[in-house]
Amino acid sequence: MSQARNHGGAPQPTRLFGHRSAGPLLPVLIVLTVVLVDLVGATGTTWLSLLVAGPALAATTNGPRGVLCVGLLAAVLGTALGARDGVPGPELAAVPAALLAVTLASALAGALRSRREQVLADVRSVAEAAQHALLKPVPATVGPFEVAVCYSAAAAEARIGGDLYALVPTPYGVRMIVGDVRGKGLPAVGTAALVVGVFREAAYDEPDLLAVVDRIERSLARNLGADDFVTAVVAGHPRPGELEVVNCGHAPPLLVRTPEEVLAVESPHPVPPLGLRALTDQRPDLTVLPFADGDQLLLYTDGVIEARDRHREFYPLAEGLARHLCDEPARTLGSIHEELLAHVGGRLHDDAALVLIRKPTAGVPGAPVLPQPALESRALGEQAV
């Protein structure tokens, strides 16, 4: 699967009178409606004063040129209708004067709104580039696994959050991390970038998965504040048929063997999050799981399981996973993501990340095939064991 993120820059509105517009027709329709009412009822200035609604509304949907065009249209039609209805000269002159004043003020408001939209588009573009650099796209196949990733940032305007994930092939097998940084905003993004960077380096350098976790812990101890921490699950696939899992204060991964068998991988001895080891001097444990063909593992952040509906009920992730489980991780996560958004009413209030890996059944069409050198190295490893 692809990453379920917010992509793109500013919206591309349609055009009216040669300018950009997000809703070009409504102000014109309002002006024409007022004109039609006046033609039918011959009410004079009673209804003509409502023509100012056209340029006023245009300021919320159009640029300055659009506002001026709508104001000019309203002024011309208002003056013509006033003359047709026999409106006295002073009252008739007040119609275009009022429309001119409202149009100029609305054009200024439209220019300020357009500038703010451009600034927001620039911020979104920079944030999205930063997110792509931090959370690099994960291919559909990594080593022997089929992989799907789904990420949603709660701060939709910024398009970036404090959750993190990475999945990389290494000389010691595929390794992955899913974590959640305490806090939000740019400080959380900086911490997430630090964790992902250290993980990628250590995953290639360290034969032992616990040593990878130790490297991250030491780096955070040097760089984090006293109250900052990162919850994380680090997993690895050192040899066929096995997964290693290290949990540092994070929500337990879900191991799926069948739709009826969804198991939470609990740590036998819970330890505090990364960055807080100095407070307790507890070292994390390495949990080894059998992981056969057809098995799946879901790693996630607390933004998923703490998502509430209008009745304040949490989203039941294990049940949702069992309900939507299939042999395509992308489709499974897509269905879970849609159900999660429906559960919360359309928008998450915390960052949410989901990473699902599946070991395809050997010999099934579409299963990833390892190159010959990799097969030989695996065989040598099995003989050594």
Side-chain angles (χ1 to χ4, degrees), residues 155-222:
E157 291 80 7
R159 301 170 186 252
I160 195 165
D163 287 3
L164 60 97
Y165 62 83
L167 193 147
V168 293
T170 76
Y172 313 106
V174 175
R175 286 175 169 174
M176 66 203 79
I177 184 173
V178 170
D180 187 358
V181 178
R182 176 187 178 273
K184 299 183 183 298
L186 291 178
V189 174
T191 302
L194 173 64
V195 172
V196 171
V198 175
F199 167 78
R200 290 184 181 277
E201 289 294 326
Y204 277 91
D205 295 342
E206 302 291 349
D208 185 357
L209 194 64
L210 286 173
V212 175
V213 177
D214 287 342
R215 284 265 295 270
I216 300 173
E217 176 68 37
R218 290 196 299 271
S219 180
L220 291 179
R222 292 192 300 268

Side-chain angles (χ1 to χ4, degrees), residues 65-295:
R65 284 182 295 173
V67 175
L68 292 175
C69 289
V70 174
L72 177 62
L73 176 64
V76 171
L77 292 177
T79 303
L81 289 175
R84 171 186 174 275
D85 295 337
V87 177
E91 295 183 22
L92 182 59
V95 172
L99 285 169
L100 177 62
V102 173
T103 298
L104 291 177
S106 300
L108 177 60
L112 294 175
R113 178 189 57 80
S114 297
R115 180 172 177 79
R116 287 194 298 268
E117 287 182 349
Q118 184 59 50
V119 171
L120 179 59
D122 293 341
V123 170
R124 285 177 170 174
S125 177
V126 172
E128 187 167 346
Q131 178 126 327
H132 276 295
L134 171 61
L135 304 178
K136 296 181 180 179
V138 176
T141 301
V142 179
F145 299 120
E146 296 174 343
V147 183
V149 174
C150 178
Y151 179 84
S152 296
E157 291 80 7
R159 301 170 186 252
I160 195 165
D163 287 3
L164 60 97
Y165 62 83
L167 193 147
V168 293
T170 76
Y172 313 106
V174 175
R175 286 175 169 174
M176 66 203 79
I177 184 173
V178 170
D180 187 358
V181 178
R182 176 187 178 273
K184 299 183 183 298
L186 291 178
V189 174
T191 302
L194 173 64
V195 172
V196 171
V198 175
F199 167 78
R200 290 184 181 277
E201 289 294 326
Y204 277 91
D205 295 342
E206 302 291 349
D208 185 357
L209 194 64
L210 286 173
V212 175
V213 177
D214 287 342
R215 284 265 295 270
I216 300 173
E217 176 68 37
R218 290 196 299 271
S219 180
L220 291 179
R222 292 192 300 268
N223 293 281
L224 288 190
D227 297 328
D228 295 329
F229 58 84
V230 180
T231 68
V233 171
V234 181
H237 179 252
R239 59 192 64 86
E242 283 188 2
L243 276 182
E244 296 177 340
V245 178
V246 180
N247 192 329
C248 299
H250 199 77
L254 297 178
L255 177 63
V256 185
R257 304 199 188 280
T258 67
E260 296 76 25
E261 190 178 2
V262 179
L263 307 173
V265 182
E266 300 282 357
S267 178
H269 303 290
V271 297
L274 294 167
L276 299 180
R277 185 184 299 179
L279 300 179
T280 63
D281 200 29
Q282 288 181 287
R283 296 181 59 82
D285 293 317
L286 183 71
T287 302
V288 180
L289 306 172
F291 200 72
D293 290 355
D295 289 352

